[in-house]
């Protein structure tokens, strides 16, 4: 019997009512008295020297308050990078300055040249068209390997080259890996591209800056996944505003997928301009602006080699990746191809020797940073593709080859520095075989063939590192921040509870799932608990939501704070019941003296805490409110197995997803309905990457996919109903809820199975195609079929 | 500036607009009906779908002046008279057909228009009708399921979950 409340219940989402009735409060819904509007004039040239900007005509136009250029920001800090990677030789990465408004040069299409602030959006836009500027175009670098040529134009003339870093991991493994590959019975090699993507949350970014001169307080309303991180970065490094004078509010946020983690120039601009002008300043991104100013994702070019012995045991993996950083380092960009990618290269398998080399490259393109999965999809894709290719070369079943090499004993220390605490990869594969109906595949293939279609089945496994992250560890790895989270549990006098959390909900349903945990712990109704998030003036200092970390890290903080509340409440109950504290039990909202029928209700104890007439004031303080900061001991390691079945039309190369199944192990699950939804959404993004989406630049650095007319978002008719299951549960051993996180799994786990399925379909039709790069558009598939 | 008047969610509404003011801008900025969202600038995403004289229209594709005298319905006018969720809204909540909520108003308005012309749409017909509404969160699974459920169809056998 499924539970109807508490941990494990499919509680309906309370946030839905406001979203379904049009009464949400997104940042663009916020309009302040005397608000001004900014329009950014953006470069339409990828690389050039700014010779001249004349704003005089624009400044005289109706409604214009002021026009800002790079000169206005000469004394202002640049946008900081939050992670410093150290290269193979022990040197720090090359780290260029990242101005709020371009200074002297433009380095990508979309970079801000000037900003017009006016009393209406239209007047700001009109005036921006009257700005005259002269940019001397320079040759642009777009292709990463070309960017590393000795005579390549430099994106940043003050750096030695376009190489940000050359990272080796684990450097001590290198000789061992080379030797294992030299002596292997079989080596499978694959070169592939992990296509550049744009996160595309449906809500474009918005920022509203406000300033009160009398109190010297600034407020930034912004579409952020982590308001405290923005307050820290912008306050301390860009504008020099101390934390107590800077409030950052991220109200309802319409999706993020990583792209709203980072601190952006527009946020700093509106906060700065509001202080300069003494009036609120608002910016609402258009979708076209989003394409050329939101951080992009992926964009890796990789060569991977997998070595096997004569019994098909994996003996070594060697990879070389070029990772695009774009023109500047976005907030967490350097960590993505390194610590979020190299550490996952063992996958679900026992491979004793692994070496990963990553060259991060500056190009004249929009900065690239974390997008749903961030590094882990890139690791999973190359590994699961090369295993499939190896199985085909060796003439063995790809599922059996995986099973033969699975890690089966835990904890398991990989050769790439992480230790998996728990997992059962055979169990998720068994479950996948059931829900994907492997047994019925041949019959379905025959049915497709009878209709002249090619049918393929593709399978892959994945593992990810979530619950980001142990602060002391990431500090050693170059993170310039701690990655704990925090929660304050404020019990009110009548027993209801407000929980202030550092995590941010922008679709994940925290307002529903987090109260389920507290309701379970206290034995009270979920409706008695409300979650407060997204406002630095209300919540404790937390690091926000990304890396599938909310329940594993912030949820753990919430549990710790609730445990403190329970400990104090038991002292109060013991006093009220005239019993020993050690004898007090809490169950179903009642404190009972063990072995007796003496009890006192939750509400009586909370009332006593705030009306302490009969209260042990000599021992404990009045009130019932506790805060906990939680720093995880390790990453969590969700894992699973996915299967995709496709039909390929041999006449056109068009691929149709016929079936998709996902068997995940997320450890314990708080709300299975919400977990299913997270997987569904991830799957569509992964299928989108595999078949549809591609962020494309031409050789001059022009972004040619800057609207939904050109960038193919997955639509309802591109995807099927998915079969998802998370009944295989090996609980995390090091956090109090035994949870692992589920937000990114679908996007990490799905692209390889789609591509594996298409390759399988083509082989069934006699087309010996080894690989096709994503997205597998009809033209690419058709061309591959022609040999 | 030109005066424009229309009926929005059953109430008379009027304002002064420029010729270039879009219906969605009039709704959001003049009337303060911020439930209708703007997710793109090429009439692709469908977050701004409203009903104009009973037909579903992307409110970013028409000027406010083109809606002169029209009956406009937005997401704010969709709940039952007592304020409770209507059958489509309720199905979206029951079947987790929304996550971040940003595309949701357009999805609900499109679903209502679909069910008005096709009371028992198939899965294929729903997916086809939603071609102009982009959702980035749900992977569409629970949206399609919710619309089938709202039309009274049994959804208990849709894919293992």
């Amino acid at each position: 019997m499924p539970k109807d409340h508490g941990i494990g219940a499919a509680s309906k989402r309370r946030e839905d009512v406001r979203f379904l009735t049009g009464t949400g409060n997104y940042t663009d819904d916020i309009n302040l008295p005397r608000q001004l509007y900014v329009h950014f004039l953006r470069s339409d040239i990828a690389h050039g020297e700014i010779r001249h900007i004349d704003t005089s005509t624009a400044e005289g136009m109706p409604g214009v308050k002021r026009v800002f250029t790079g000169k206005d920001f000469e004394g202002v800090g640049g946008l900081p990078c939050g992670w410093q990677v150290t290269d193979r030789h022990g040197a720090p990465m090359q780290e260029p300055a990242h101005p709020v408004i371009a200074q002297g040069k433009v380095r990508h299409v979309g970079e801000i040249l000037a900003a017009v602030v006016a009393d209406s959006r239209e007047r700001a836009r009109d005036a921006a068209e009257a700005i005259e500027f002269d940019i001397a175009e320079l040759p642009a670098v777009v292709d990463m390997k070309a960017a590393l040529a000795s005579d390549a134009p430099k994106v940043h003339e003050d750096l030695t080259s376009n190489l940000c870093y050359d990272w080796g991991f684990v450097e001590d493994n290198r000789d061992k890996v080379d030797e294992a590959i030299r002596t292997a019975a079989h080596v499978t090699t694959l070169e592939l591209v992990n296509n550049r993507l744009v996160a595309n949350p449906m809500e474009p970014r918005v920022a509203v800056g406000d300033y009160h001169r009398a109190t010297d307080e600034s407020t930034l309303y912004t579409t952020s996944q982590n308001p405290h991180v923005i307050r820290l970065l912008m306050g301390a490094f860009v504008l020099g505003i101390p934390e107590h004078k800077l409030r950052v509010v991220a109200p309802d946020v319409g999706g993020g997928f990583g792209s709203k983690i980072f601190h952006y120039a527009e946020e700093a601009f509106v906060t700065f301009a509001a202080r300069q002008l003494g009036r609120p300043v608002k910016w609402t991104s258009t979708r076209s602006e989003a394409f050329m100013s939101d951080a992009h994702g992926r964009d890796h070019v990789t060569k991977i080699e997998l070595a096997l012995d004569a019994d098909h045991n994996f003996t070594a993996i060697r990879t070389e990746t070029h990772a695009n950083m774009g023109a500047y380092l976005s907030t967490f960009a350097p960590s993505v191809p390194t610590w979020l990618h190299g550490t996952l290269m063992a996958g679900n398998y026992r491979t004793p020797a692994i070496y990963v080399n990553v060259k991060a490259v500056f190009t004249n393109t929009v900065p690239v940073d974390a997008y749903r999965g961030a590094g882990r999809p890139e690791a999973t894709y190359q590994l699961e593709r090369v295993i499939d290719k190896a199985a085909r070369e060796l003439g063995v079943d790809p599922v059996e080859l995986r099973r033969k090499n699975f890690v089966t004993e835990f904890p398991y220390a990989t050769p790439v520095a992480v230790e998996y605490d728990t997992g059962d990869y055979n169990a998720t594969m068994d479950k996948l075989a059931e829900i994907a109906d492997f047994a019925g595949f041949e019959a379905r293939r025959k049915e497709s063939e009878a209709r002249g279609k090619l049918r393929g089945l593709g399978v892959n496994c994945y593992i990810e590192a979530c619950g980001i992250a142990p602060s002391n560890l990431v500090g050693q790895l170059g993170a310039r921040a701690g990655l704990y989270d925090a929660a304050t549990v404020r019990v009110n006098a009548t027993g209801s509870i407000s929980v202030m959390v550092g995590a941010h909900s922008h679709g994940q349903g925290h307002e529903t799932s987090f109260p389920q945990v507290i309701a379970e712990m206290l034995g009270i109704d979920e409706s008695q608990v409300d979650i407060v998030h997204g406002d630095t003036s209300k919540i404790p200092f937390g690091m926000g939501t990304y890396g599938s970390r909310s329940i594993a890290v912030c949820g753990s903080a919430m549990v710790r704070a609730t445990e403190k509340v329970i400990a104090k409440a038991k002292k109060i109950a013991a006093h009220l019941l005239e019993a020993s504290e050690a004898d007090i039990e809490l169950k179903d909202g009642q404190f009972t003296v063990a072995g007796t029928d003496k009890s006192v209700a939750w509400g009586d104890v909370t009332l006593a805490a705030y009306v302490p007439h009969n209260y042990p004031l000599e021992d404990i303080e009045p009130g019932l409110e506790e805060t906990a900061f939680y720093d995880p001991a390790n990453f969590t390691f969700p894992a699973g197995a996915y299967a995709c079945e496709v039909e390929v039309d041999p006449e056109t190369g068009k691929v149709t997803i016929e079936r998709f199944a996902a068997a995940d192990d997320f450890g314990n699950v708080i709300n299975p309905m919400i977990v299913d939804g997270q997987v569904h959404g991830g799957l569509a993004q992964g299928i989108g990457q595999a078949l549809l989406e591609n962020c494309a630049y031409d050789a001059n650095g022009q972004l040619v996919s800057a609207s939904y007319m050109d960038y193919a978002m997955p639509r309802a008719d591109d995807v099927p109903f998915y079969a998802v299951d998370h009944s295989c549960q090996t609980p995390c051993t090091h956090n109090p809820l035994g949870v692992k996180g589920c937000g990114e799994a679908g996007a990490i786990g799905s692209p390889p199975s789609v591509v594996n399925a298409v390759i399988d379909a083509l082989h069934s039709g006699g087309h010996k195609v080894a690989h096709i790069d994503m997205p597998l558009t009809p033209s690419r598939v058709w061309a591959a079929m022609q040999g | 500036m030109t005066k424009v008047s229309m009926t929005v969610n059953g109430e008379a509404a009027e304002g002064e607009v420029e010729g270039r003011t879009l219906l969605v801008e009039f709704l959001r900025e003049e009337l303060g009906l911020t439930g209708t969202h703007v997710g793109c600038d090429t009439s692709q995403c469908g977050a701004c779908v409203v009903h104009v004289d009973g037909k579903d229209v992307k409110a970013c594709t028409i000027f406010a002046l083109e809606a002169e005298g029209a009956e406009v319905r937005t997401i704010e006018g969709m709940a039952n008279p007592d304020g409770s969720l209507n059958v489509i809204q309720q199905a979206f909540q029951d079947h987790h057909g929304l996550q971040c909520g940003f595309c949701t108003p357009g999805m609900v308005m499109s679903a209502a228009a679909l069910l008005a012309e096709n009371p028992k749409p198939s899965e294929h017909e729903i997916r086809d009708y939603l071609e102009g509404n982009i959702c980035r969160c749900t992977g569409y699974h629970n949206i399609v399921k919710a619309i089938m459920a709202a039309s009274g169809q049994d959804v208990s056998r849709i894919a293992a979950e």
Side-chain angles (χ1 to χ4, degrees):
Chain A
M1 180 83 180
K3 291 180 68 174
D4 62 1
H5 70 281
I7 292 174
S11 300
K12 289 178 193 171
R13 296 200 333 164
R14 55 180 76 181
E15 44 272 81
D16 288 357
V17 176
R18 66 178 188 270
F19 297 145
L20 283 162
T21 54
T23 51
N25 182 36
Y26 298 89
T27 310
D28 193 44
D29 302 340
I30 293 171
N31 291 295
L32 302 176
R34 301 183 70 240
Q35 168 179 293
L36 300 170
Y37 299 82
V38 58
H39 182 91
F40 293 108
L41 177 67
R42 296 179 185 274
S43 176
D44 57 4
I45 288 169
H47 194 195
E49 199 177 311
I50 304 169
R51 288 196 174 147
H52 173 70
I53 298 186
D54 182 354
T55 60
S56 55
T57 306
E59 279 163 17
M61 286 179 64
V64 173
K65 296 299 171 194
R66 193 162 157 194
V67 181
F68 295 82
T69 66
K71 275 197 170 24
D72 297 290
F73 281 80
E74 277 173 356
V76 177
L79 302 174
C81 178
W83 202 299
Q84 184 183 61
V85 165
T86 302
D87 81 0
R88 286 175 54 202
H89 311 292
M93 66 187 189
Q94 296 208 80
E95 190 172 356
H98 188 176
V100 174
I101 296 185
Q103 314 243 348
K105 262 181 91 175
V106 289
R107 296 184 174 86
H108 68 83
V109 167
E111 185 164 6
I112 299 171
L113 271 174
V116 181
V117 179
D119 60 5
S120 83
R121 202 167 289 173
E122 293 75 16
R123 286 172 150 183
R125 194 166 55 208
D126 289 346
E129 288 179 12
I131 296 174
E132 291 174 25
F133 60 92
D134 175 18
I135 297 177
E137 196 162 352
L138 297 166
V141 284
V142 178
D143 178 80
M144 286 189 277
K145 288 177 186 169
L148 295 182
S150 58
D151 59 349
K154 284 202 286 186
V155 178
H156 297 276
E157 43 295 315
D158 53 330
L159 303 185
T160 59
S161 70
N162 292 321
L163 181 67
C164 177
Y165 54 74
D166 178 4
W167 184 75
F169 183 67
V170 175
E171 204 59 31
D172 291 345
N173 290 352
R174 192 182 176 108
D175 293 344
K176 190 175 154 192
V177 169
D178 290 349
E179 177 64 18
I181 288 175
R182 204 163 32 242
T183 59
H186 184 86
V187 178
T188 296
T189 303
L190 183 58
E191 294 186 40
L192 45 77
V193 173
N194 204 290
N195 41 328
R196 180 184 277 236
L197 303 176
V198 181
N200 272 307
M202 292 318 298
E203 178 202 31
R205 288 189 295 118
V206 182
V208 188
D210 191 19
Y211 178 64
H212 288 270
R213 200 172 299 284
T215 56
D216 194 30
E217 288 173 335
S218 290
T219 302
L220 170 67
Y221 301 89
T222 184
T223 48
S224 175
Q225 301 176 213
N226 34 227
H228 268 116
V229 173
I230 304 305
R231 191 184 73 170
L232 178 67
L233 294 175
M234 185 177 78
F237 297 99
V238 187
L239 300 180
I241 305 171
E243 285 98 324
H244 69 301
K245 295 295 186 188
L246 178 57
R247 175 184 173 208
V248 178
V249 182
D252 288 330
V253 172
F257 315 111
S259 69
K260 292 173 182 170
I261 297 171
F262 322 119
H263 177 39
Y264 287 100
E266 296 86 355
E267 295 170 321
F269 178 84
V270 297
T271 309
F272 177 84
R275 291 171 73 90
Q276 296 278 309
L277 298 167
R279 289 175 66 173
V281 176
K282 180 173 185 173
W283 171 67
T284 302
S285 176
T286 64
R287 181 59 59 184
S288 302
E289 277 185 290
F291 273 105
M292 55 185 165
S293 66
D294 289 7
H296 293 173
R298 315 285 192 259
D299 204 352
H300 287 191
V301 177
T302 292
K303 177 183 176 187
I304 179 168
E305 296 160 283
L306 171 67
L308 303 92
D309 68 17
D311 294 326
H312 302 165
N313 296 302
F314 300 165
T315 56
I317 292 168
R318 183 168 62 196
T319 74
E320 184 185 5
T321 288
H322 286 77
N324 207 332
M325 293 287 103
Y328 299 100
L329 292 177
S330 177
T331 310
F332 290 113
S335 68
V336 175
T338 51
W339 301 109
L340 294 176
H341 167 249
T343 51
L344 273 298
M345 204 53 74
N348 310 56
Y349 312 102
R350 299 180 316 273
T351 307
I354 298 174
Y355 179 72
V356 178
N357 175 246
V358 179
K359 294 176 179 70
V361 185
F362 292 111
T363 60
N364 292 112
T365 62
V366 170
V368 180
D369 206 326
Y371 163 57
R372 200 170 194 170
R376 293 151 289 173
E378 295 91 322
T380 302
Y381 181 65
Q382 56 186 279
L383 183 60
E384 295 293 327
R385 280 290 300 126
V386 81
I387 292 171
D388 238 54
K389 185 164 183 261
R392 201 168 289 285
E393 289 172 357
L394 296 167
V396 299
D397 182 280
V399 171
E400 291 311 312
L401 181 62
R402 288 178 169 88
R403 284 189 188 267
K404 182 180 181 64
N405 286 281
F406 274 161
V407 172
T408 54
E409 291 178 19
F410 297 86
Y412 174 75
T414 72
V416 277
V418 291
E419 183 175 286
Y420 304 159
D421 58 343
T422 54
D424 187 344
Y425 307 145
N426 277 304
T428 45
M429 186 61 85
D430 291 345
K431 178 54 75 174
L432 181 73
E434 177 194 326
I435 63 173
D437 186 29
F438 286 180
F441 172 69
E442 282 306 327
R444 291 191 294 273
R445 170 173 273 174
K446 284 197 175 61
E447 191 273 329
S448 294
E449 285 171 351
R451 287 184 287 106
K453 300 288 172 61
L454 302 175
R455 197 173 187 106
L457 171 64
V459 172
N460 69 266
C461 299
Y462 78 90
I463 186 163
E464 52 170 331
C466 295
I468 291 172
S471 294
N472 55 2
L473 174 63
V474 295
Q476 291 168 26
L477 306 182
R480 289 164 168 164
L483 286 170
Y484 47 83
D485 220 293
T488 296
V489 175
R490 177 177 297 157
V491 183
N492 301 309
T494 58
S496 68
I497 298 173
S498 303
V499 189
M500 281 61 79
V501 295
H504 187 278
S505 189
H506 34 278
Q508 296 87 343
H510 298 168
E511 292 170 33
T512 301
S513 57
F514 280 26
Q516 291 180 245
V517 173
I518 294 194
E520 176 90 19
M521 292 177 74
L522 298 177
I524 63 173
D525 196 86
E526 287 165 26
S527 65
Q528 293 297 297
V529 187
D530 263 0
I531 300 299
V532 177
H533 64 97
D535 184 341
T536 59
S537 72
K538 295 180 179 170
I539 61 174
F541 192 103
M543 300 305 290
T545 288
Y546 41 82
S548 305
R549 71 194 300 272
S550 298
I551 195 68
V553 186
C554 189
S556 297
M558 188 174 69
V559 169
R560 292 279 186 256
T562 306
E563 287 169 349
K564 292 186 195 178
V565 163
I566 291 172
K568 184 172 179 183
K570 282 184 172 177
K571 287 188 204 296
I572 302 168
H575 176 85
L576 295 175
L577 292 164
E578 298 175 338
S580 163
E581 184 191 329
D583 293 336
I584 302 294
E585 294 174 346
L586 172 61
K587 194 177 176 221
D588 296 334
Q590 290 281 327
F591 295 90
T592 306
V593 182
T596 75
D597 59 357
K598 285 173 62 180
S599 75
V600 61
W602 167 253
D604 294 326
V605 170
T606 62
L607 190 65
Y610 288 93
V611 188
H613 295 165
N614 173 19
Y615 194 88
L617 284 167
E618 60 282 5
D619 295 328
I620 50 175
E621 298 166 7
L624 196 52
E625 172 172 327
E626 300 288 352
T627 294
F629 284 72
Y630 180 86
D631 203 284
N634 190 1
F635 296 93
T636 63
F637 295 97
Y642 287 10
C644 178
E645 253 180 73
V646 298
E647 264 190 3
V648 178
D649 183 339
E651 301 293 320
T652 63
K654 181 170 169 53
V655 176
T656 310
I657 308 271
E658 294 295 321
R659 297 163 65 94
F660 203 104
D664 293 292
D665 174 2
F666 296 133
N668 294 334
V669 163
I670 308 302
N671 184 320
M673 176 193 80
I674 288 175
V675 169
D676 287 348
Q678 290 291 306
V679 176
H680 295 159
L683 294 180
Q685 292 184 357
I687 290 168
Q689 171 168 29
L691 295 185
L692 299 164
E693 297 178 40
N694 199 40
C695 178
Y697 280 91
D698 73 9
N700 297 319
Q702 280 301 328
L703 179 57
V704 295
S705 56
S707 82
Y708 288 152
M709 318 272 272
D710 315 292
Y711 186 95
M713 292 282 278
R715 313 230 177 187
D717 54 359
D718 292 314
V719 291
F721 282 127
Y722 320 100
V724 302
D725 180 280
H726 41 77
S727 63
C728 301
Q729 298 181 350
T730 60
C732 171
T733 56
H734 55 79
N735 65 43
L737 291 167
V739 292
K740 295 186 174 182
C742 66
E744 297 161 293
I748 294 170
S750 50
S753 60
V754 177
V755 179
N756 290 346
V758 173
I759 299 297
D760 185 54
L762 297 185
H763 276 258
S764 79
H767 304 282
K768 305 296 183 199
V769 174
H771 179 68
I772 307 173
D773 275 323
M774 302 186 290
L776 274 60
T777 56
S779 69
R780 287 186 181 185
V781 173
W782 189 86
M785 291 170 72
Q786 310 315 306
Chain B
M1 300 289 267
T2 309
K3 193 178 163 198
V4 65
S5 56
M6 61 189 82
T7 305
V8 179
N9 299 329
E11 292 180 19
E14 59 176 41
E16 298 270 327
V17 296
E18 290 186 64
R20 61 180 165 177
T21 303
L22 300 170
L23 177 60
V24 67
E25 293 168 340
F26 178 71
L27 292 170
R28 288 184 56 82
E29 287 159 29
E30 289 294 316
L31 304 185
L33 293 171
T34 55
T36 302
H37 294 153
V38 181
C40 76
D41 42 21
T42 52
S43 294
Q44 293 280 312
C45 80
C48 67
V49 171
V50 298
H51 296 174
V52 178
D53 293 331
K55 284 190 67 71
D56 47 335
V57 167
K58 289 179 174 174
C60 72
T61 61
I62 70 169
F63 295 114
L65 289 171
E66 291 179 274
E68 171 66 34
E71 291 270 350
V72 176
R73 183 173 294 272
T74 70
I75 189 68
E76 288 92 344
M78 291 300 281
N80 294 325
D82 68 355
S84 61
L85 300 181
N86 77 9
V87 65
I88 297 170
Q89 293 167 318
Q90 188 61 56
F92 269 70
Q93 185 185 33
D94 290 347
H95 297 282
H96 191 26
L98 64 155
Q99 291 182 25
C100 82
F102 196 80
C103 78
T104 307
M107 287 288 180
V108 169
M109 300 310 286
S110 287
L114 167 62
L115 296 185
E117 70 178 54
N118 181 357
K120 287 270 186 290
S122 67
E123 177 199 345
H124 176 78
E125 287 170 334
I126 294 170
R127 291 186 185 277
D128 189 55
Y129 199 89
L130 294 183
E131 215 273 341
N133 290 79
I134 303 176
C135 169
R136 194 56 152 170
C137 294
T138 65
Y140 302 101
H141 182 111
N142 285 336
I143 291 175
V144 176
K145 192 174 163 185
I147 295 170
M148 292 179 82
S151 68
Q153 302 182 65
D154 178 13
V155 294
S156 61
R157 297 173 63 81
I158 289 174
E161 43 182 9

